Amino acid sequence: MCFLFFACKKELTLDEKSQKYCDENMEFTCTEPLGDFYFSGKINGEDFCVSADVDGYWMQNGIGTGTTTSTSDPTLSPGATPFGSFYNFGFVPPIIDNRATEDFAPFVTIWTPFIRDTTIYPDIEYFKRFIKEGDLTLWESDKDRSTGFYFSIAWNCVLLPGYDYYKETRPLAIPVVGNTLTPSFGKQDNAVFRISELKISGVPGFRVYDITFEIECDLYYDGTNGKYFGRLEDGIFKTQVVMP
C-alpha cells in the first residue's frame, strides 16, 4: 500500500512549482517615508505600502479596455474591438526586462465599473459616471463588471529556475507566473470601499483630481471561487489624475 501511494504521487509541473514558490514566499512590507501618492494598509496585521517615486514605483492612471478572444485561438489581435472600457488607477513596480518585474514586487490597482460599449470614451466620461465622494460598490464575481469597482493586489515571479536563467536562454520574453488578491471572489463581511476625499482643482488647460479611496475587505485569490487569503484593514489609496 505504501509503495502504491508513493508511486502514484503526482509530480508538479514547472508552472505549478513556480506558482507554489510564488504563493508561499510573498511578504508584504512597507518602505517609508511615503510620497504624496501611495497605497498603504495592513494585511493580516502586517504593514504594507507602495508609493509613487519610491523604489522605482510609478503611478499608472488611464483608460483600460476589455476584449474577448476565442478559446480555440486565444491570441489578442491588434485593433480588436473591445466589449467595454474602464478607468484604471494603479501603483506599478518598475519593469526590469521583457514582462518581468522583481519577484514579489506588488501591483495595486483599482478599476471603475465597465462601460459596456465598443466606444472608448474621453477620460472625463468615466469620472462623471463613477467618481464621487461616498460609499461605492465592489464588483462581485457573479455579477456584471459594469456594476462595481474592482480592487486588487498582485505580484509576479519569474518562472523557476529564475531570472538569470531566462535572461540567458530566452531574453525576449521572460516567462512569469503571478498571484492576484481581490475582494471580488468571496464573501464580504463589513467591507469598506469609498472615496473619502475628492478635490477638483484647475490649472490653465487642465483639470486636476486628487482622490483618496478608503478600503477594508477580505481578500481572496482571483478566480478561485473563494480561496481565502486574509484581511485588509486601514487601506488608503491616494492618487492624482491630471486631464485636459
Side-chain angles (χ1 to χ4, degrees), residues 6 20 22 24 29 34-35 38-39 64 71 85-86 98-99 101-102 112-113 122 138 140 155 159 234:
F6 287 108
K20 188 173 186 290
C22 207
E24 294 178 350
T29 60
L34 298 174
Y38 60 87
F39 174 80
T71 55
S85 58
F86 57 93
N98 293 290
R99 293 185 61 194
T101 59
E102 289 187 10
T112 69
L138 284 167
E140 298 177 22
W155 65 94
L159 203 70
D234 302 327

Side-chain angles (χ1 to χ4, degrees), residues 151-243:
F151 167 72
S152 68
I153 300 169
W155 65 94
N156 292 334
C157 301
V158 174
L159 203 70
L160 294 176
Y163 173 80
D164 290 341
Y165 172 79
Y166 292 103
K167 179 64 176 176
E168 292 296 324
T169 59
R170 46 184 296 186
L172 298 181
I174 305 294
V176 298
V177 295
N179 283 307
T180 301
L181 306 177
T182 174
S184 294
F185 280 89
K187 182 180 178 183
Q188 291 297 321
D189 292 317
N190 303 316
V192 172
F193 188 80
R194 67 167 67 100
I195 292 178
S196 59
E197 184 177 9
L198 176 60
K199 179 181 177 183
I200 305 173
S201 56
V203 295
F206 296 90
R207 182 176 294 181
V208 181
Y209 290 82
D210 286 284
I211 308 168
T212 301
F213 294 89
E214 292 184 1
I215 310 163
E216 293 196 7
C217 59
D218 291 318
L219 295 172
Y220 299 83
Y221 288 95
D222 195 338
T224 57
N225 292 320
K227 183 181 177 184
Y228 181 70
F229 179 84
R231 178 79 179 175
L232 168 67
E233 297 177 306
D234 302 327
I236 299 291
F237 187 111
K238 189 175 181 64
T239 189
Q240 184 182 79
V241 175
V242 179
M243 67 176 71

Side-chain angles (χ1 to χ4, degrees), residues 134-152:
D135 293 333
L136 302 170
T137 301
L138 284 167
W139 177 73
E140 298 177 22
S141 62
D142 59 347
K143 294 184 178 179
D144 190 291
R145 286 205 176 193
S146 61
T147 64
F149 283 72
Y150 179 76
F151 167 72
S152 68

